[in-house]
């Protein structure tokens, strides 16, 4: 099993640009999670999907952030327009069952730098 | 709401010494508790989890944790530290009113000295 795949691994962009982060969950997993990790705020859950449907997006910081899951094997997190304070490591994770009670498998993360 | 507090953002031990990383949780219902480890430039990896079965949970790499309801604690231990244990460790809680959400602590960076 290839595990959770994220791309790109590193992204450097300028303020105001659109950024799209991609995630491929483990095959067969029904739930997908997007997290953001910063030194100041630690690890924060942004949004999670169950069977491709967004269940909880209360962690999405503002309207500049959007996430989609068009099918069971692909999800995107988009930031438009990007700002320097969005600089962070963004993780995608997946699990067999909905909710946080099951083991979540994390991808390697995308390190985003907004100049 | 559920929450997790990890006592000590940095812990330093000598190789071969006992590792103790502290975690206290708050939950209005019986919780699911987890310890994850993050090595530099990698994602998080599950070490162990408590799901209301045995209170002493054994995980990978020789780590274990004990669930103590009376103390609302879930401390992580390893009898003898190895250099490869150097990483950041996260305690997390799930369940209750926040079904669907895994709440992480702030993390503890473990340094192992030769």
């Amino acid at each position: 099993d290839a595990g959770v795949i994220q791309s790109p691994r590193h992204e450097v962009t300028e303020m105001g640009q659109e950024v799209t982060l991609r995630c491929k969950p483990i095959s067969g997993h029904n739930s997908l999670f997007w997290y953001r990790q910063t030194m100041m705020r630690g690890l924060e859950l942004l949004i999670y999907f169950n069977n491709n449907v967004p269940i909880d997006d209360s962690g999405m910081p503002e309207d500049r952030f959007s996430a989609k899951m068009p099918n069971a094997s692909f999800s995107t997190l988009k930031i438009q327009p990007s700002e320097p304070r969005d600089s962070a490591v963004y993780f995608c994770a997946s699990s067999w069952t909905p909710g946080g009670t099951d083991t979540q498998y994390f991808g390697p993360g995308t390190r985003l730098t907004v100049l | 709401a559920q929450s997790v507090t990890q006592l000590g953002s940095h812990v330093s031990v000598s190789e071969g010494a006992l590792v103790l990383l502290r975690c206290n949780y708050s939950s209005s219902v019986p919780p699911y508790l987890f310890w994850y480890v993050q090595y530099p430039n990698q994602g998080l990896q599950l070490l162990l989890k408590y799901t209301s079965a045995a209170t002493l949970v054994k995980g990978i790499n020789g780590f274990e944790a004990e669930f103590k309801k009376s103390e609302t604690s879930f401390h992580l231990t390893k009898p003898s530290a190895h250099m490869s244990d150097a990483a950041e460790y996260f305690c997390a809680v799930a369940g209750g009113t926040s079904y669907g959400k895994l709440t992480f602590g702030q993390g503890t960076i473990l340094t192992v000295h030769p």
Side-chain angles (χ1 to χ4, degrees):
Chain A
D1 195 331
V4 176
I5 298 173
Q6 291 187 247
S7 64
R9 292 294 310 276
H10 301 273
E11 176 79 32
V12 180
T13 190
E14 294 189 348
M15 182 174 64
Q17 296 298 306
E18 176 180 296
V19 175
T20 299
L21 311 181
R22 297 172 175 80
C23 175
K24 176 179 170 54
I26 292 173
S27 178
H29 281 189
N30 296 312
S31 294
L32 183 139
F33 308 81
W34 281 101
Y35 291 91
R36 178 173 67 176
Q37 186 178 39
T38 62
M39 289 291 291
M40 291 297 295
R41 301 176 66 90
L43 200 60
E44 304 172 277
L45 176 66
L46 299 177
I47 185 171
Y48 93 90
F49 296 84
N50 184 45
N51 292 327
N52 313 335
V53 176
I55 302 300
D56 184 346
D57 65 355
S58 60
M60 296 286 264
E62 48 197 277
D63 292 345
R64 297 185 297 106
F65 285 70
S66 62
K68 295 182 179 180
M69 192 165 185
N71 57 62
S73 59
F74 184 66
S75 177
T76 60
L77 178 67
K78 185 176 295 186
I79 308 173
Q80 166 64 17
S82 59
E83 297 182 2
R85 60 191 168 125
D86 301 330
S87 298
V89 180
Y90 291 81
F91 289 103
C92 176
S94 68
S95 68
W96 289 106
T97 57
T101 56
D102 196 5
T103 300
Q104 294 184 19
Y105 296 82
F106 283 74
T110 295
R111 183 174 296 276
L112 173 65
T113 303
V114 183
L115 303 174
Chain B
Q2 57 196 21
S3 65
V4 170
T5 302
Q6 290 184 240
L7 302 176
S9 59
H10 290 81
V11 170
S12 181
V13 300
S14 298
E15 192 173 20
L18 171 72
V19 174
L20 171 60
L21 304 183
R22 300 178 187 273
C23 172
N24 287 90
Y25 69 92
S26 173
S27 178
S28 58
V29 295
Y32 288 71
L33 293 161
F34 303 78
W35 276 100
Y36 281 83
V37 60
Q38 184 179 27
Y39 299 103
N41 300 314
Q42 295 186 27
L44 278 71
Q45 176 185 357
L46 181 71
L47 269 180
L48 49 82
K49 64 179 178 181
Y50 167 77
T51 57
S52 76
T55 56
L56 183 62
V57 182
K58 294 187 182 298
I60 62 172
N61 301 336
F63 284 94
E64 62 182 35
E66 185 173 8
F67 172 70
K68 292 187 176 181
K69 183 178 179 181
S70 61
E71 299 177 8
T72 61
S73 69
F74 191 57
H75 302 331
L76 181 71
T77 61
K78 182 174 180 178
S80 176
H82 191 274
M83 296 295 289
S84 61
D85 294 327
E88 188 163 15
Y89 293 80
F90 293 89
C91 183
V93 62
T97 57
S98 297
Y99 182 81
K101 185 174 289 188
L102 189 63
T103 302
F104 285 90
Q106 285 298 100
T108 298
I109 296 174
L110 176 66
T111 302
V112 182
H113 297 288

